[in-house]
């Protein structure tokens, strides 16, 4: 592997072509992103980013919340402050939608900037379209984090800016690269450090890179041996809570690590660094080296040495960068072959991708890399294909590969999963196969327009973009009603329920109610378990509170409790729908809890206040712990 040498600018970009067709290519890729990644509202990590922004806007409301009482990762990012400023002008539902759309735009822009720098406009659009449609995961195993997110988080912003910074760097615009990478670091440090490390590797020679990586590894080992507190292991309770609750941070065991999926991008980068365009090989090797080192540390830490600092650094996140650049490298690798070999190269890479999970995906690419590294093996393989395979045999081999790829693809992408598809009007809704609506049809549409001549493409792209914009918002009417009520009547409801903003509320059956309906602190909800790796006090306090709630309920009040784990704070037995009067009295003995609010009255315990929920027609009943502690 060769890392030394000068960084090349890459293929020269035709300025006239950029002016005429650049916006058309960008609009086409954006259209496909909108079609493949519909907006479904405030869910997943968008919930956390919204409450982080609300905390910036009105910190007195959430100061006693268990999520903020011990600090939060929001202090490491400027994203929350920017989001909070937007919330001064728009309600949460509109603000979250705008943040999600802007994040998608920046992700596409950054990815396209790097792809065009490496592959030109046509090849770059093909590569970005491929990444957008496939949308692979990049975590260690559970496949919870995807490259393209269509909800409001800081991640797509940091990703797009990181990729744009790399494009500027290989274009020798070092000031722009520094500014873009710095902006990514300010928005989401964990997502940006992989890109910045790759730029460091690009600027150093082989010996310096190997020396730096060796020193870093030695420093980690010695720091842990000498008892440096950030490298000390997590205590057993904290580790168990993180391991079972935050499975993107730690794998539960070695069998849960998606090794084949993790290695595949590295194998493609190594192969492309050997046989792709000469100008780009150094970039592919640099990203492969950084990703391999980070993933090695992350797997060792996750399985054998759960050190606090390394667990919080989450070095496995560099996989997102390796996955994106590997997709660009795959297109570059195909384009670098002779015209007659491009189809078989693309088919082989496609077969290896859909074979991921079987254990053979990365092995196939690594085998190709080994063959390319041995001149005699390369000559033998080429000779066998050219001189010992008849035309009929070649067609038969390619047919077998094509059928195998199609068969594995049917297993890789679950055709049985259906999703609600909302028409231009929210009341129009159909159940459709997800792979058909958000993969196959957009892929066929993209390929059809991508294959058109320039004039036809410029005519069709605005039509597709307009259609994509109309269909992007896939929130159902029920979701829209719920989100429309966030914070709108919080002041009136707090007054009617005799609750002060900033009081701690427990609301069984509604994990987001204290945060977004009442706009005040929550006592113990499963959503607050996100981010427990950043604070032991947060993790243990939440565990103790949720365990206290669980112990108050019998099995009749629980649901789906089979298979739940005590240290998994997302388990269903930590989410009772309603509390009995005795449970409310007992829970209120905790001096940290001020009120219990629920949608059903507790028998034999009259509520101290109630309020009509106009958005849903339901009723809220408030029980004040200060009265029950008398």
């Amino acid at each position: 592997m060769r890392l030394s040498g000068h960084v090349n600018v890459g293929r020269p970009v035709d300025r006239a072509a950029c002016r005429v067709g650049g916006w058309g290519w960008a609009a086409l890729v954006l259209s496909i992103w909108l079609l493949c990644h519909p907006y479904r509202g405030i869910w997943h990590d968008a919930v956390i980013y919204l409450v982080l922004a609300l905390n910036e806007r009105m910190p007195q409301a959430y100061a006693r919340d268990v999520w903020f009482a011990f600090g939060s990762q929001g202090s490491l990012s400027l994203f929350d402050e920017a989001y909070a400023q937007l919330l001064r002008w728009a309600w949460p539902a509109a603000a979250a939608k705008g943040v999600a759309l802007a994040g998608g735009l920046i992700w596409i822009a950054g990815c396209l900037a790097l792809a065009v720098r490496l592959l030109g406009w046509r090849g770059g659009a093909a590569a970005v379209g491929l990444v957008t449609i496939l949308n692979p995961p990049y975590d260690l195993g559970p496949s919870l984090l995807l490259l393209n997110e269509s909800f409001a988080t800081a991640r797509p912003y940091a990703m797009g800016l990181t990729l744009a910074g790399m494009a500027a760097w290989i274009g020798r615009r070092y000031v722009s690269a520094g500014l873009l990478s710095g902006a990514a670091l300010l928005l989401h440090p964990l997502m940006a450090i992989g890109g910045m490390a790759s730029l460091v590797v690009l600027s150093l020679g082989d010996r310096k890179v190997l020396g730096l990586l060796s020193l870093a590894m030695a420093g980690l080992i010695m720091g842990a041996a000498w008892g440096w507190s950030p490298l000390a292991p997590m205590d057993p309770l904290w580790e168990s809570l993180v391991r079972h609750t935050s499975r993107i941070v730690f794998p539960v065991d070695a069998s849960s690590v998606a090794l084949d999926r993790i290695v595949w991008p590295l194998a493609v980068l190594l192969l492309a660094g050997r046989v792709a365009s000469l100008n780009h090989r150094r970039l592919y090797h640099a990203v492969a080296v950084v990703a391999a080192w980070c993933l090695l540390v992350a797997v060792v830490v996750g399985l054998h040495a759960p050190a606090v600092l390394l667990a919080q650094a989450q070095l496995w996140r560099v996989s997102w960068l390796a996955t994106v650049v590997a997709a660009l490298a795959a297109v570059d690798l195909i384009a670098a072959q002779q015209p007659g070999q491009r189809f078989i190269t693309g088919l082989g890479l496609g077969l290896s991708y859909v074979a991921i999970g079987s254990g053979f995906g990365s092995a196939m690419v690594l085998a190709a890399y080994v063959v390319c590294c041995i001149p005699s093996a390369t000559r033998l393989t080429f000779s066998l294909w050219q001189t010992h395979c008849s035309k009929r045999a070649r067609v038969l081999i390619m047919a077998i590969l094509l059928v195998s790829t199609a068969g594995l693809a049917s297993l890789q992408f679950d055709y049985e999963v259906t999703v609600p598809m909302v028409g231009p009007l929210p009341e129009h809704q159909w159940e459709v196969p997800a792979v058909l609506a958000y993969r196959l049809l957009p892929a066929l549409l993209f390929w059809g327009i991508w294959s058109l001549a320039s004039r036809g493409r410029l005519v069709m792209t605005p039509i597709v973009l307009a259609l994509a914009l109309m269909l992007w918002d896939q929130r159902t009417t029920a979701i829209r009603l719920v989100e429309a009520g966030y914070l709108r009547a919080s002041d009136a409801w707090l007054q009617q329920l005799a609750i002060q903003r900033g009081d701690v509320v427990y609301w069984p059956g509604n994990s987001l109610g204290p945060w977004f309906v009442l706009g005040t602190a929550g006592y113990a909800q499963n959503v607050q378990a996100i981010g427990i790796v950043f604070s032991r006090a947060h993790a243990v306090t939440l565990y103790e509170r949720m365990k206290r709630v669980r112990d108050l309920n019998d099995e009749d009040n629980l649901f789906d409790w089979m298979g739940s784990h005590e240290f998994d704070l997302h388990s269903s037995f930590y989410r009772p729908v309603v509390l009995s009067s005795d449970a409310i009295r007992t829970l209120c003995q905790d001096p940290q809890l001020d009120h219990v609010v629920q949608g059903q009255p507790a028998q034999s315990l009259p509520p101290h206040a109630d309020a009509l929920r106009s958005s849903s027609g339901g009723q809220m009943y408030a029980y004040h712990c200060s009265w029950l502690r008398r």
Side-chain angles (χ1 to χ4, degrees):
M1 184 176 62
R2 184 70 176 166
L3 285 178
S4 61
H6 297 289
V7 179
N8 293 287
V9 174
R11 299 176 183 174
V13 180
D14 187 340
R15 300 294 181 183
C18 287
R19 287 193 295 269
V20 174
W23 286 106
W25 286 117
L28 174 60
V29 173
L30 176 61
S31 302
I32 298 304
W33 183 87
L34 292 168
L35 291 173
C36 291
H37 309 288
Y39 180 69
R40 299 198 180 278
I42 302 170
W43 70 290
H44 204 279
D45 285 354
V47 171
I48 291 298
Y49 281 93
L50 177 57
V51 79
L52 283 168
L54 290 174
N55 181 61
E56 290 288 336
R57 180 184 165 191
M58 42 186 189
Q60 76 284 353
Y62 302 98
R64 295 177 57 205
D65 192 290
V66 68
W67 216 90
F68 296 101
F70 309 102
S72 71
Q73 59 264 44
S75 60
L76 302 176
S77 171
L78 296 181
F79 178 82
D80 310 320
E81 296 182 16
Y83 198 171
Q85 293 301 318
L86 181 60
L87 288 170
R88 298 182 184 277
W89 301 95
W91 291 106
K97 182 180 177 181
V99 169
L101 181 58
L105 288 171
I106 290 178
W107 195 97
I108 289 294
C111 195
L112 197 58
L114 181 59
V116 170
R117 177 63 63 180
L118 297 177
L119 306 169
W121 276 106
R122 186 175 180 82
V128 179
L130 182 67
V131 173
T132 300
I133 294 168
L134 292 177
N135 194 25
Y138 61 88
D139 47 37
L140 288 177
S143 300
L144 296 175
L145 295 180
L146 304 177
L147 279 180
N148 294 265
E149 296 175 343
S150 54
F151 46 83
T153 74
R155 290 191 287 263
Y157 291 84
M159 289 179 177
L161 291 170
T162 296
L163 295 172
M166 296 183 72
W169 184 275
I170 64 175
R172 303 194 182 195
R173 293 179 294 165
Y174 301 120
V175 174
S176 297
L179 292 174
L180 291 167
S181 300
L185 191 67
L186 291 174
L187 292 177
H188 200 306
L190 300 183
M191 303 301 295
I193 54 177
M196 298 189 74
S198 298
L199 296 184
V200 171
V201 170
L202 281 172
S203 64
L204 298 176
D206 292 1
R207 294 182 179 179
K208 292 182 179 179
V209 170
L210 295 176
L212 187 62
L213 293 177
S214 300
L215 284 175
M217 185 66 74
L220 293 176
I221 294 173
M222 289 188 296
W226 289 342
W228 187 40
S229 56
L231 294 178
M234 305 172 77
D235 68 78
L237 176 57
W238 188 13
E239 178 193 344
S240 296
L241 290 170
V242 173
R243 193 175 296 280
H244 290 92
T245 303
S246 303
R247 300 193 178 186
I248 61 171
V249 177
F250 286 154
V252 175
D253 50 41
S255 63
S256 64
V257 178
L259 189 62
D260 197 15
R261 171 163 57 81
I262 294 171
V263 173
W264 189 87
L266 305 181
V268 171
L269 289 170
L270 290 176
L271 181 61
R274 186 78 186 184
V275 298
S277 300
L278 184 62
N279 291 342
H280 312 144
R281 293 180 184 179
R282 177 170 170 76
L283 172 66
Y284 303 147
H285 279 156
V287 175
V289 166
V290 171
W293 189 90
C294 291
L295 287 170
L296 175 62
V297 174
V299 171
V300 171
V301 168
L303 294 178
H304 305 292
V308 174
L309 178 63
L310 296 177
Q312 294 174 344
Q314 299 180 23
L315 296 178
W316 52 266
R317 287 181 183 265
V318 75
S319 289
W320 81 263
L321 181 63
T323 303
V324 171
V325 179
L328 306 186
V331 174
D332 191 7
L333 194 155
I334 295 170
Q337 307 305 307
Q338 297 297 325
Q341 299 175 354
R342 289 175 182 171
F343 177 76
I344 190 67
T345 302
L347 190 58
L349 287 172
L351 178 60
S352 71
Y353 181 81
V354 296
I356 290 175
S358 65
F360 294 104
S362 55
M364 293 170 63
V365 185
L366 288 173
Y369 173 71
V370 171
V371 169
C372 292
C373 290
I374 304 174
S376 58
T378 304
R379 288 193 298 269
L380 177 62
T381 303
F382 185 75
S383 176
L384 288 173
W385 180 257
Q386 291 291 332
T387 61
H388 291 75
C389 286
S390 64
K391 184 176 181 180
R392 181 177 296 178
R394 295 180 193 178
V395 171
L396 179 61
I397 291 172
M398 287 191 288
I400 293 173
L401 291 176
L402 191 61
V403 172
S404 301
T405 303
L408 288 172
S410 66
L411 300 175
Q412 181 79 283
F413 307 113
D414 194 345
Y415 289 87
E416 296 181 357
V417 175
T418 60
V419 293
M421 189 169 185
V422 180
L425 297 177
E427 57 268 21
H428 297 159
Q429 182 174 319
W430 308 270
E431 288 288 330
V432 297
V435 68
L436 176 65
Y438 301 128
R439 290 187 188 271
L440 185 58
L441 290 181
L444 292 174
L445 184 62
F446 177 76
W447 179 78
I449 297 177
W450 183 85
S451 303
L452 292 175
S454 177
R455 181 174 297 179
R457 190 169 59 250
L458 291 175
V459 170
M460 290 299 299
T461 298
I463 299 174
V464 175
L465 180 58
L467 176 65
L469 287 170
M470 285 192 298
L471 295 177
W472 182 62
D473 190 344
Q474 287 291 300
R475 291 175 297 168
T476 62
T477 301
I479 293 175
R480 290 172 185 266
L481 286 174
V482 170
E483 292 184 356
Y486 284 173
L487 295 186
R488 283 190 178 269
S490 60
D491 290 331
W493 285 339
L494 288 174
Q495 183 177 3
Q496 199 165 348
L497 294 171
I499 298 174
Q500 299 294 318
R501 191 176 298 278
D503 287 352
V504 178
V505 172
Y506 179 67
W507 192 339
N510 190 339
S511 61
L512 303 181
W515 281 355
F516 300 147
V517 176
L518 299 177
T520 193
Y523 175 71
Q525 308 283 5
N526 70 304
V527 69
Q528 294 164 313
I530 299 173
I532 59 174
V533 69
F534 294 103
S535 171
R536 182 189 184 280
H538 172 190
V540 174
T541 300
L542 181 61
Y543 168 67
E544 291 173 347
R545 291 183 180 181
M546 295 187 76
K547 188 173 183 296
R548 186 179 299 122
V549 172
R550 186 195 69 180
D551 293 343
L552 292 173
N553 291 269
D554 55 36
E555 293 181 4
D556 293 336
N557 288 329
L558 303 177
F559 57 95
D560 192 25
W561 56 271
M562 294 297 294
S564 297
H565 196 284
E566 178 186 0
F567 295 126
D568 181 1
L569 299 182
H570 295 314
S571 292
S572 58
F573 55 49
Y574 286 121
R575 302 196 295 271
V577 177
V578 63
L579 294 181
S580 66
S581 57
D582 290 339
I584 293 175
R585 291 180 184 276
T586 303
L587 189 62
C588 277
Q589 299 309 306
D590 185 348
Q592 298 301 318
L593 177 61
D594 297 319
H595 315 278
V596 175
V597 172
Q598 56 186 28
Q600 300 179 33
Q603 294 182 356
S604 73
L605 183 64
H608 303 128
D610 60 272
L612 181 67
R613 292 188 62 191
S614 58
S615 60
S616 62
Q619 197 87 2
M620 291 188 291
Y621 302 91
Y623 301 88
H624 304 322
C625 292
S626 60
W627 295 17
L628 297 176
R629 284 195 290 263
R630 293 174 182 174

